[in-house]
Amino acid sequence: MTLDRPGQRPTMLRTFTVLLFCIRLSLGMTSIVMQSQPELWIETNYPQAPWENITLWCKSPSRISSKFLLLKDKTQMTWIRPSSKTFQVSFPLGALTKYNAGLYRCCYWKETGWSEPSKVLELEAPGQLPKPIFWIQAETSPLPGCNVNILCHGWLQDLVFMLFKEGYAEPVDYQIPTGTVAIFSIANMTPESEGVYICRTHIQMLPTLWSEPSNPLKLIVAGLYPKPTLTAYPGPIMAPGESLSLRCQGPIYGMTFALIRLEDLEKSFYRKRPIKNEAYFFFRALKIHDAGHYLCFYYDGSYRGSLLSDILKIWVTDTFPKTWLLAQPSPVVQMGQHMSLWCRGPVDGVGLALYKKGEDKPLQLLDTASTDDDESFFLNNVTYSDAGVYSCLYLLSWKTSIRMTSHNTMELVVVDKPPKPSLSAWPSTVFKLGKAITLQCRVPHPVLEFSLEWEERATFQKFSVDGDFIISNAERKGTGTYSCSYRIEAHPNIWSHRSEPLRLMGPAGFLTWNYVLNEAIRLSLFMQLVALLLVVLWIRWKCRRLRIREAWLLGTAQGVTMLFIVTVLFCCGLCNGVLTEETEIIMPTPKPELWAETNFPLAPWKNLTLWCRSPSGSTKEFVLLKDGTGWIATRPASEQVRAAFPLGALTQSHTGSYHCHSWEEMAVSEPSEALELVGTDMLPKPVISASPPIRGQKLQIRCKGWLAGMEFVLYKEGVQEPVQQLGAVGREAFFTIQRMEAKDQGNYSCRTHTEKRPFKWSEPSEPLELVIKEMYPKPFFKTWASPVVTPGARVTFNCSTPHQHMSFILYKDGSEIASSDRSWASPGASAAHFLIISVGAGDGGNYSCRYYDFAIWSEPSDPVELVVTEYYPQPTLLAQPGPVVLPGKNVTLRCQGAFPGMRFALLQEGNQVPLQFQSTSGNSADFLLHTVGAEDSGNYSCVYYETTMSNRGSHLSKPIMIWVTGLLPKPSLLAQPGPIVAPGENMTFQCQGELPDSTFVLLKEGTQEPLEQQKPSGYRADFWMPAVRGEDSGIYSCVYYLDSAPFAASNHSDFLEIWVTDKPPKPSLSAWPSTMFKLGKDITLQCRGPLPGVEFVLEHDGEEAPQQFSEDGDFVINNVEGKGIGNYSCSYRLQAYPDIWSEPSDALELVGAAGPAAQECTVGNIVRSSLIVVVVVALGVVLAIEWKKWPRLRTRDSETDGRDQTIALEECNQEGEPGANTSSPSSVSQETSVELPVPI
C-alpha cells in the first residue's frame, strides 16, 4: 500500500482530534473500539503536601484481573498478584524523591496477555503537582455545531482545575470535581471557539501551588467548506492482494486532502497533495486489516477543514459473507397469494440476484439502488410451480477474485393447508419423580401460534407462542397421547395438519427429593424455635433455685436472648423506606379483559368461547377462575397477548361467575371484571358504571356486555319503558344524559339482547344509583413533562387546587391507583405529586385526579392521556401542500400509521402538550393548521396509539419542519457554473439572503422534504452538489428563516431550472405561414428553446457552414432560383458558454416551385387537370369508333333517303296544284333538280 502519511506531524493530528472525535457519534460509531486502558491515579494522606506520601492506584476498566504491572520510564518496576481477582490494586511509593520521579504507567493481565498501558503519569521533583493530561471527547452530533467535552486529568482528588485559552489572561472556566477528572464543555462549536487551550491544577487550600501546564490543544471548527465525494475503483468489495484506488474530490482547487479509517482514527490518517481538485489514495496490495469505514475531507493552509464526506465501507475478503433470505409474510403460503422474498446481507452497495434450485439463470435481479431502498423480490399469484428452494447471491458490476460461498436457503411451500409440525419431548417421554416434561412443537418458519391437544381429554387445549409446553404428572394427570398444530400470521384462521402423536408415560404420586428437602428445612426451623423457647423456660425455672449471683447471670443471659429475638423481629418490621415529597405510584399488574365469542349469534349458548386479553406485553400465562377456583390455564397467543378458553355448548354445570388473571414473571394481575353465566337460555349479565354525576353537566353511563353484536337497553327504576336503546356497537355501549338535573337521579340498570327477533335477553345488571352531590371545582392536573414518553422514562403527575388541607386520589382509566394525604402538614394551596419512576408498556392510559376533605369531593380533573411509545412501527408525517407556506394560509399535516382504528396525536417541538388529538377508523389522520403565522414555524412530529390497551403507542415519526414564509425579503438563487451541467460534474447553488446568521434551505419542486439546510455566518449559503446525475434535473428554489423568535421565514427565491445533460435540450423548429412556398412570398422559420440568453443558428442540408444566426430565433427564407427548398434544422448555444451547442432540432422540410415563371400547381389543380385529360381522351375514343362506322352507313342511307324525298316532293306538288297552270316549265325543272343534292 502506497499512502502518504504525515510523518511526525503531531500538531496536525491534534488539530483534527476534535473533528475526528465529533464524527464518531454523528456517524453512529461511538463504540467502534472498546476502551481497554486501565486508569492510574494518586492518593495521599497529606493533602497540602501530597509528595510526602504517595500511593499509586491502578484500576481495570471492565473486568477483574489476577495480576497488575507498574511501569516506570518504559521499564518494569514492580507487579502485584492479589490474593483474589479484583478490579484495582495499590502501589505504595512513599515520599517523592528524585529517585522515584519519572513517567509511570500501569497494565493489567487479560486472558490474551497484558492490556494496553494507562495514560502516562509524570511525577516531577518534590514540591510540584503532577502535570495534567488533556484530551477531547465528543458528546453529540457535531454538524452543525459540535458539542465538545475537554477532559483534564489531574491525578489527584479534590483539586481545582483551570482552563486557559491563548490570548486570555484569565481562565475561561474552572471546576472542582469530586474525582481526578474535570470535564469542560464547549457547546455548539463556532469559529469564535477556535484557539489553543491548556489546563492547570492547584490544591484548594494552597492556591499558590500550581501544576505544570498540560500540553496545548488546538481546536479547529470543521465544516467551513462543502463536503467532498469519496468513491472506490473498481469497487468497494475486493479480495486480498488486489489493488484499490480511493478518489476524494472537492469543489476547490489547491487543498490538501486527508483520508481516514474510522476503526483506527489516529493510525490511519493519510494526507495527500491534490491533482487540481481531487486526490487519489492507492492500495497496491490490499490486506484484511485495510477493510473498514473510510471518509475523507480537505483543508487549507490554516487547517480549516471541509465537511466530512459520506462514509464508504470497504470490504477485503476472500469469500463473500452469507446472505439470508426471508419470506414475507411466511414461507408457507396458499395458492393465489402474493408474497415477497427479502434478501439481505452484511455487504452494502451490491446488487442481489434471486435463484431457484434447479435453474441456472436468476429469476429476478435487484440493483444497488434497489437494495439501498430495501426493495424485495416479489412473487405474485403463487402456484405449485413456485414451490422450491430459493437462495440469493451478490451481483457485482466489477471483476474480482472473491469466491462465492454457500448461502442460506429458504424453502417455499405452497399448500392449501400448512404442513404438519414435529413434536418432541425433553428430556424424554418418560416422567421421573417430581420432574416435568417439556413438549417442543417445531416448524422451520415463523409461526403466529402453536396449539397442543391431549387425546384423552377433548376439552384440553394449550396455546404457546414459542412452541414449548410444560406438562407435569401430578396425580397421574400428565400421561397420555399429545399432538400439536399451528397457524401463521398471514392466514390466522387456517390451522395446520396435526403432528404425529406422541405418548408420555411414567409413574406419578411419589415424593421428590426437593420436596423432602424443603420439608426437612421447615421442620428444622420449627424445632429450633421450640428449642429456643425451652431454653428460655429452663432459664426462668433455674432462677428460682439458684443463689442471687447465679440468678443474676442467668437472668442476664435470658435478657440478652430475648433482646436478640426482639431486635430481629423489630428490624424485620422496619422496612418502610424513606419518605419523600413525591408519592411513588406502585402500578399493579394491569387488569385483563374478559369477553365471550360465539359462532351462533341467535343462540350463543350453543357454542361459547371465553377470551382473556392482557394490556401488558410481558404476560406469560392466563388463568380462568370459576367461582374463585382454577379451571384451566393456557399461554398467551402471539402479539395479541390473549388466550382462548372454549366452553362448548353451555350446560347447567357451566353456570357461575368467571374472571381471569394474567401471570407475569413475579406478579399476578388483578382479576378481570366478573362474567356471570346464569343459565343455558340466558345471556351473561352486563356490568353498569358511571362517573360521579355533576349538576348541569353531561354524564355517560357505561354498559359493558360480554358478547359482540348485542343491542343495549337502559332502564330506570320506577319507569316501565326503557329510558334509552342503542344498536349493536361492539361489546359495550355508552348512554348519555346531556344535562344532569335532580329529575335524573335514581337507580339505573341495563340489559342486552340479540340483534334479531325473537330476542334473547340477558339478566339485568346490578343497579347503579345516581345521586347529585355538592362538589368542589375540578383540580388542575398536568404532567411536568410531555405525556408522550418512551419506556423507562420518569413521569410526574401534578394535581393541585387552591383549597387548603385536601387529600388527593389518582385514577387511571377510572380506577383508583394512588392517594396522597401529605398536604395536611403544609399551609396554603394543596398539591400532590404522583411519580412513576420507570414507565412500562402497561402504564399508558387516561389519568385523572380528584381531591376531597371529610365529606365533599371535587369534580374529576380533565384527563391526561399518557402515551408510551416505541411499541408500534414509526408513522410518516407529510405536509400538504408543502412545508413552505405563506402567512394566513392553511397547512394539513397527514400522519400515516401502520394499523387502522388508532388515535393520533400531533406534537410540536417546544410544546410539552400535544397540539391536537384525532381518532380515526382508518390508518391516517389529517391535522389542520389554520391561518398559520410565524409562531407556527418549527418541527412537528406525530404518534399513534391504541386506546383500549394502555395507550401503547408507536415510535415518533421523523420530524418535519414547517416554514411560514413571506415575513422576510426573498433571497436570490444562482447556480455555478451554470444551469446546464454535464453528468458527474459538481455544482454549487448560491442562496443570498438579506439577514446574517440565518438558516438557509434548498428546495426542489416535487420533493416534500428540503434537500439541504445550512446556517452560515454571513449572508450567503453555498449548497454543493457533487457528481450530479440526470435525476438532479428540476426546478429549484431556496428560502431562509430565523431559528429563534420570531421564527420568521422569507418568500421563495425565483425558481431556477437546472439541466443535467451533456448537451442542452434540443429546440423546436416551425414555419410560418406554412412549409409551402408561394409566388413571391417568403417563409419565416421560428426556432425556440427552453433557456433564455442563447444564440440560435439555422442549418440547411447540403451546406457545410450554418446559413444564419439569430438571437430571437426567427429566420426569413426566400426561394430565389429554387434555393429555398430542402430540410432545415436549428440549434443554440448559451452566450455564457459559446463552446457548448445543443442538440439539433427535428428536421423541417420546405417545398415549392423550381423557377420564377413556373405555374402554380397545387394539389387541387393537379387533380382537376387529370380529370380533364381523362374526359378528353374518353371523348376522342368515342369519336374514333363512330368515324370508323361512317362509310357503311352513308351507302345504305342514300337509297332510302332518295325514295323518301321523292315521296315528299310528290306530296308537296299535290298540295300546290291550284297554282300549277300559272307555273312555267322552268319552275318544274327547278323543283325536280332539288332531288340530287339532298344532304345526309
Side-chain angles (χ1 to χ4, degrees):
M1 179 172 63
T2 60
L3 288 171
D4 299 330
R5 291 187 178 272
Q8 303 299 324
R9 295 293 300 273
T11 303
M12 186 179 67
L13 287 177
R14 290 184 67 83
T15 296
F16 288 101
T17 302
V18 177
L19 170 64
L20 302 183
F21 275 94
C22 283
I23 65 173
R24 280 189 186 272
L25 265 78
S26 67
L27 301 175
M29 305 187 65
T30 57
S31 59
I32 294 176
V33 180
M34 180 67 70
Q35 179 60 258
S36 60
Q37 276 188 321
E39 181 183 359
L40 182 65
W41 74 94
I42 300 173
E43 289 189 2
T44 180
N45 52 2
Y46 294 92
Q48 297 185 12
W51 48 86
E52 295 292 337
N53 188 10
I54 288 179
T55 300
L56 301 186
W57 283 85
C58 184
K59 179 179 179 182
S60 167
S62 59
R63 66 185 72 188
I64 58 177
S65 180
S66 59
K67 289 189 295 184
F68 290 84
L69 177 67
L70 182 65
L71 303 174
K72 180 191 177 213
D73 297 329
K74 298 184 180 181
T75 60
Q76 178 176 346
M77 179 179 177
T78 182
W79 63 275
I80 291 180
R81 183 191 297 271
S83 58
S84 60
K85 290 187 176 182
T86 181
F87 284 95
Q88 60 186 20
V89 294
S90 61
F91 297 91
L93 296 186
L96 183 62
T97 64
K98 64 178 181 179
Y99 300 104
N100 53 15
L103 303 178
Y104 286 85
R105 295 179 298 167
C106 73
C107 306
Y108 66 95
W109 181 260
K110 301 188 298 184
E111 292 83 355
T112 57
W114 289 105
S115 69
E116 295 182 12
S118 66
K119 297 184 183 298
V120 178
L121 168 61
E122 184 176 357
L123 293 180
E124 301 284 349
Q128 291 185 356
L129 294 179
K131 179 180 178 179
I133 59 174
F134 215 18
W135 76 97
I136 300 171
Q137 174 190 4
E139 186 179 50
T140 58
S141 183
L143 300 176
C146 174
N147 296 334
V148 176
N149 285 344
I150 305 178
L151 281 70
C152 184
H153 194 311
W155 309 107
L156 280 165
Q157 295 184 354
D158 300 327
L159 293 178
V160 178
F161 291 78
M162 295 287 188
L163 179 65
F164 293 88
K165 183 179 179 182
E166 187 179 42
Y168 293 83
E170 298 296 327
V172 294
D173 196 3
Y174 75 96
Q175 287 189 17
I176 308 177
T178 57
T180 60
V181 179
I183 301 177
F184 299 99
S185 296
I186 301 179
N188 193 13
M189 284 283 292
T190 61
E192 290 76 15
S193 305
E194 293 181 337
V196 177
Y197 292 83
I198 61 171
C199 169
R200 297 188 68 183
T201 62
H202 70 80
I203 299 177
Q204 294 187 43
M205 304 179 117
L206 293 175
T208 58
L209 181 59
W210 288 82
S211 69
E212 287 290 319
S214 66
N215 292 329
L217 179 66
K218 185 176 182 180
L219 300 187
I220 297 295
V221 178
L224 298 181
Y225 298 111
K227 70 178 181 180
T229 57
L230 183 62
T231 54
Y233 181 83
I237 307 172
M238 305 299 292
E242 294 181 337
S243 61
L244 176 70
S245 174
L246 297 182
R247 174 195 180 209
C248 185
Q249 184 183 30
I252 303 175
Y253 283 61
M255 293 289 185
T256 301
F257 287 81
L259 179 70
I260 307 166
R261 187 165 67 94
L262 295 181
E263 284 73 10
D264 192 3
L265 288 175
E266 295 185 359
K267 295 182 180 180
S268 63
F269 184 88
Y270 313 106
R271 66 184 181 91
K272 203 161 191 181
R273 302 300 297 178
I275 303 174
K276 294 184 180 179
N277 62 333
E278 60 188 12
Y280 291 88
F281 300 89
F282 297 100
F283 294 79
R284 300 296 183 191
L286 285 170
K287 298 179 181 179
I288 295 295
H289 61 76
D290 291 326
H293 299 78
Y294 288 82
L295 54 81
C296 72
F297 62 96
Y298 56 91
Y299 55 93
D300 57 18
S302 300
Y303 298 109
R304 294 182 178 272
S306 69
L307 296 175
L308 300 171
S309 69
D310 295 330
I311 293 179
L312 178 63
K313 188 172 183 180
I314 300 298
W315 295 79
V316 182
T317 177
D318 291 323
T319 58
F320 271 110
K322 287 186 177 181
T323 58
W324 60 86
L325 192 62
L326 300 177
Q328 296 292 339
S330 170
V332 180
V333 295
Q334 286 186 304
M335 287 188 60
Q337 298 293 323
H338 304 311
M339 68 169 303
S340 62
L341 299 178
W342 193 76
C343 178
R344 288 298 177 267
V347 181
D348 302 327
V350 184
L352 297 171
L354 178 67
Y355 288 86
K356 184 180 178 183
K357 189 176 181 180
E359 299 184 12
D360 296 333
K361 296 183 178 180
L363 300 181
Q364 298 181 34
L365 300 176
L366 288 178
D367 56 13
T368 304
S370 300
T371 56
D372 292 341
D373 296 337
D374 279 348
E375 294 186 11
S376 305
F377 302 104
F378 289 97
L379 298 179
N380 296 325
N381 196 16
V382 175
T383 62
Y384 284 119
S385 61
D386 295 318
V389 178
Y390 289 82
S391 63
C392 71
L393 303 176
Y394 293 107
L395 185 65
L396 299 183
S397 59
W398 62 90
K399 292 184 179 180
T400 179
S401 59
I402 301 177
R403 299 190 304 272
M404 294 289 182
T405 60
S406 59
H407 291 72
N408 294 326
T409 59
M410 187 277 305
E411 183 177 5
L412 178 63
V413 181
V414 182
V415 294
D416 288 334
K417 195 173 185 180
K420 63 183 179 182
S422 63
L423 183 63
S424 60
W426 187 88
S428 68
T429 58
V430 179
F431 282 102
K432 296 183 179 180
L433 289 177
K435 301 292 185 180
I437 291 178
T438 300
L439 294 183
Q440 299 175 335
C441 188
R442 295 291 185 265
V443 289
H445 52 77
V447 170
L448 175 66
E449 181 181 35
F450 292 92
S451 172
L452 182 68
E453 294 85 18
W454 190 10
E455 293 185 3
E456 284 75 11
R457 286 181 58 183
T459 60
F460 177 89
Q461 192 176 23
K462 276 193 171 186
F463 297 92
S464 171
V465 178
D466 54 8
D468 292 344
F469 302 90
I470 299 176
I471 307 297
S472 62
N473 196 30
E475 299 179 1
R476 293 184 179 272
K477 292 183 179 180
T479 59
T481 304
Y482 294 84
S483 62
C484 71
S485 59
Y486 66 92
R487 58 180 178 174
I488 59 178
E489 191 170 1
H491 310 288
N493 298 323
I494 301 177
W495 287 91
S496 71
H497 295 281
R498 288 194 177 186
S499 66
E500 296 294 335
L502 181 67
R503 183 170 182 80
L504 300 184
M505 301 174 295
F510 295 94
L511 296 177
T512 65
W513 287 109
N514 288 337
Y515 178 79
V516 174
L517 183 60
N518 290 335
E519 292 299 323
I521 293 175
R522 292 180 184 179
L523 182 61
S524 64
L525 292 175
F526 178 75
M527 293 177 63
Q528 291 178 19
L529 180 61
V530 172
L532 182 60
L533 293 176
L534 291 177
V535 169
V536 172
L537 293 177
W538 179 78
I539 291 174
R540 293 182 61 85
W541 178 71
K542 276 290 186 181
C543 288
R544 296 179 180 178
R545 302 181 56 184
L546 297 178
R547 293 181 302 215
I548 295 177
R549 179 178 177 83
E550 294 172 342
W552 180 81
L553 293 175
L554 291 176
T556 303
Q558 175 187 358
V560 171
T561 303
M562 296 302 295
L563 179 62
F564 173 76
I565 296 174
V566 173
T567 303
V568 171
L569 295 177
F570 183 74
C571 292
C572 293
L574 291 181
C575 299
N576 295 327
V578 181
L579 295 178
T580 62
E581 296 182 359
E582 296 175 326
T583 301
E584 181 180 351
I585 303 173
I586 306 300
M587 284 290 184
T589 304
K591 180 190 297 185
E593 179 186 7
L594 182 65
W595 74 93
E597 290 185 1
T598 180
N599 51 1
F600 294 95
L602 296 180
W605 45 85
K606 290 186 178 181
N607 186 12
L608 206 62
T609 299
L610 302 186
W611 283 87
C612 186
R613 181 173 66 170
S614 171
S616 173
S618 58
T619 298
K620 299 300 182 184
E621 196 171 23
F622 290 92
V623 175
L624 181 69
L625 301 179
K626 176 192 172 188
D627 299 327
T629 61
W631 184 69
I632 192 171
T634 181
R635 288 177 177 265
S638 183
E639 295 181 357
Q640 287 80 14
V641 197
R642 62 180 185 176
F645 302 90
L647 300 183
L650 199 62
T651 62
Q652 194 64 34
S653 62
H654 290 117
T655 59
S657 179
Y658 292 82
H659 62 270
C660 69
H661 292 269
S662 62
W663 285 5
E664 298 189 2
E665 292 288 348
M666 298 296 292
V668 180
S669 71
E670 298 180 14
S672 66
E673 294 181 338
L675 186 156
E676 189 170 353
L677 299 178
V678 294
T680 58
D681 197 24
M682 189 73 66
L683 296 180
K685 180 189 296 186
V687 176
I688 189 171
S689 61
S691 59
I694 301 173
R695 187 183 303 275
Q697 295 191 11
K698 182 172 70 174
L699 178 69
Q700 283 191 332
I701 302 175
R702 173 176 176 259
C703 182
K704 181 182 179 181
W706 304 100
L707 282 164
M710 298 290 111
E711 296 192 352
F712 296 82
V713 181
L714 180 67
Y715 292 91
K716 182 181 180 183
E717 185 177 350
V719 180
Q720 188 70 22
E721 297 297 325
V723 178
Q724 293 185 36
Q725 298 187 39
L726 292 176
V729 289
R731 290 192 295 269
E732 62 182 11
F734 291 89
F735 300 98
T736 303
I737 300 177
Q738 295 296 335
R739 185 178 177 85
M740 192 70 188
E741 302 292 350
K743 61 182 179 61
D744 298 318
Q745 299 183 114
N747 292 324
Y748 289 81
S749 62
C750 68
R751 299 182 68 183
T752 62
H753 64 79
T754 55
E755 189 175 3
K756 297 181 179 179
R757 296 180 182 273
F759 294 149
K760 300 298 181 181
W761 289 82
S762 71
E763 284 285 322
S765 67
E766 297 295 331
L768 173 67
E769 184 180 8
L770 297 182
V771 178
I772 300 176
K773 298 181 179 180
E774 295 300 327
M775 290 188 175
Y776 290 123
K778 62 185 178 182
F780 180 73
F781 186 57
K782 68 173 183 178
T783 58
W784 280 1
S786 174
V788 180
V789 296
T790 57
R794 179 188 179 102
V795 176
T796 301
F797 295 98
N798 179 21
C799 187
S800 60
T801 177
H803 295 80
Q804 297 184 6
H805 307 307
M806 292 292 171
S807 298
F808 294 85
I809 293 182
L810 182 68
Y811 298 87
K812 178 191 174 187
D813 297 327
S815 301
E816 178 182 342
I817 60 172
S819 61
S820 175
D821 296 329
R822 297 180 186 164
S823 60
W824 286 91
S826 59
S830 300
H833 305 316
F834 299 96
L835 171 66
I836 302 178
I837 294 180
S838 179
V839 171
D843 293 334
N846 294 328
Y847 288 80
S848 61
C849 75
R850 298 178 69 186
Y851 62 93
Y852 64 95
D853 55 11
F854 294 102
I856 303 178
W857 286 74
S858 73
E859 301 176 15
S861 67
D862 294 330
V864 171
E865 298 184 47
L866 183 64
V867 180
V868 183
T869 61
E870 300 184 2
Y871 189 83
Y872 289 110
Q874 181 185 55
T876 57
L877 185 63
L878 298 176
Q880 297 175 351
V884 182
V885 62
L886 292 172
K889 299 294 183 179
N890 297 337
V891 177
T892 300
L893 298 179
R894 166 162 291 186
C895 186
Q896 182 80 34
F899 303 99
M902 294 288 186
R903 184 168 171 84
F904 292 80
L906 179 67
L907 301 95
Q908 183 183 16
E909 185 178 1
N911 288 337
Q912 291 186 355
V913 182
L915 297 181
Q916 299 180 34
F917 290 95
Q918 195 174 130
S919 298
T920 62
S921 57
N923 60 350
S924 64
D926 292 338
F927 298 99
L928 177 64
L929 301 181
H930 186 67
T931 59
V932 295
E935 66 278 2
D936 296 313
S937 296
N939 283 313
Y940 290 82
S941 59
C942 71
V943 66
Y944 63 91
Y945 57 95
E946 55 181 345
T947 58
T948 58
M949 299 293 289
S950 298
N951 287 8
R952 293 183 300 194
S954 67
H955 290 261
L956 288 178
S957 69
K958 184 178 179 181
I960 183 174
M961 182 72 181
I962 298 297
W963 294 280
V964 180
T965 64
L967 303 177
L968 299 176
K970 73 176 182 179
S972 61
L973 182 63
L974 297 176
Q976 297 295 338
I980 299 179
V981 63
E985 296 297 327
N986 301 330
M987 190 174 193
T988 301
F989 288 96
Q990 295 179 347
C991 186
Q992 181 81 29
E994 300 291 337
L995 295 177
D997 301 326
S998 302
T999 300
F1000 291 80
V1001 181
L1002 182 64
L1003 307 170
K1004 183 181 179 183
E1005 191 175 88
T1007 303
Q1008 181 74 227
E1009 296 183 358
L1011 299 182
E1012 190 179 347
Q1013 66 181 45
Q1014 291 184 16
K1015 187 177 180 182
S1017 58
Y1019 293 82
R1020 191 184 77 185
D1022 293 338
F1023 301 98
W1024 190 52
M1025 296 181 63
V1028 294
R1029 298 175 293 179
E1031 53 266 28
D1032 293 324
S1033 298
I1035 299 176
Y1036 291 80
S1037 63
C1038 71
V1039 297
Y1040 64 95
Y1041 67 94
L1042 303 177
D1043 53 5
S1044 59
F1047 301 102
S1050 70
N1051 273 327
H1052 280 273
S1053 66
D1054 293 334
F1055 292 103
L1056 178 62
E1057 188 168 7
I1058 299 300
W1059 301 84
V1060 180
T1061 177
D1062 292 327
K1063 288 187 176 183
K1066 64 183 180 181
S1068 62
L1069 184 63
S1070 60
W1072 187 88
S1074 69
T1075 58
M1076 177 71 67
F1077 281 103
K1078 295 182 180 181
L1079 286 177
K1081 301 294 185 180
D1082 297 332
I1083 292 178
T1084 300
L1085 295 182
Q1086 298 175 337
C1087 186
R1088 298 292 184 262
L1091 298 176
V1094 298
E1095 182 182 21
F1096 296 91
V1097 63
L1098 183 68
E1099 297 180 355
H1100 187 195
D1101 286 355
E1103 297 183 7
E1104 295 182 359
Q1107 183 175 351
Q1108 297 184 37
F1109 292 88
S1110 173
E1111 292 185 357
D1112 57 1
D1114 292 342
F1115 303 92
V1116 179
I1117 308 298
N1118 56 49
N1119 197 27
V1120 178
E1121 299 179 358
K1123 295 182 179 180
I1125 61 174
N1127 292 323
Y1128 289 84
S1129 63
C1130 71
S1131 57
Y1132 63 90
R1133 63 181 177 183
L1134 294 174
Q1135 295 178 355
Y1137 303 94
D1139 296 332
I1140 301 178
W1141 286 93
S1142 71
E1143 297 180 3
S1145 66
D1146 295 332
L1148 180 67
E1149 184 179 7
L1150 299 184
V1151 297
Q1159 300 293 328
E1160 183 178 359
C1161 187
T1162 61
V1163 176
N1165 292 337
I1166 294 175
V1167 173
R1168 287 191 289 271
S1169 301
S1170 301
L1171 290 176
I1172 291 174
V1173 171
V1174 171
V1175 171
V1176 170
V1177 172
L1179 183 59
V1181 172
V1182 172
L1183 291 176
I1185 294 173
E1186 292 297 330
W1187 178 257
K1188 288 182 179 180
K1189 293 180 180 179
W1190 163 244
R1192 233 181 8 224
L1193 292 175
R1194 185 177 55 185
T1195 304
R1196 186 180 57 188
D1197 293 343
S1198 62
E1199 298 176 355
T1200 57
D1201 291 342
R1203 289 197 297 270
D1204 292 340
Q1205 291 198 15
T1206 304
I1207 296 173
L1209 290 173
E1210 290 178 353
E1211 291 177 354
C1212 291
N1213 293 331
Q1214 292 176 0
E1215 292 175 359
E1217 283 182 357
N1221 47 4
T1222 59
S1223 302
S1224 63
S1226 62
S1227 65
V1228 175
S1229 64
Q1230 291 178 356
E1231 289 289 340
T1232 57
S1233 66
V1234 175
E1235 183 180 5
L1236 294 176
V1238 175
I1240 296 174

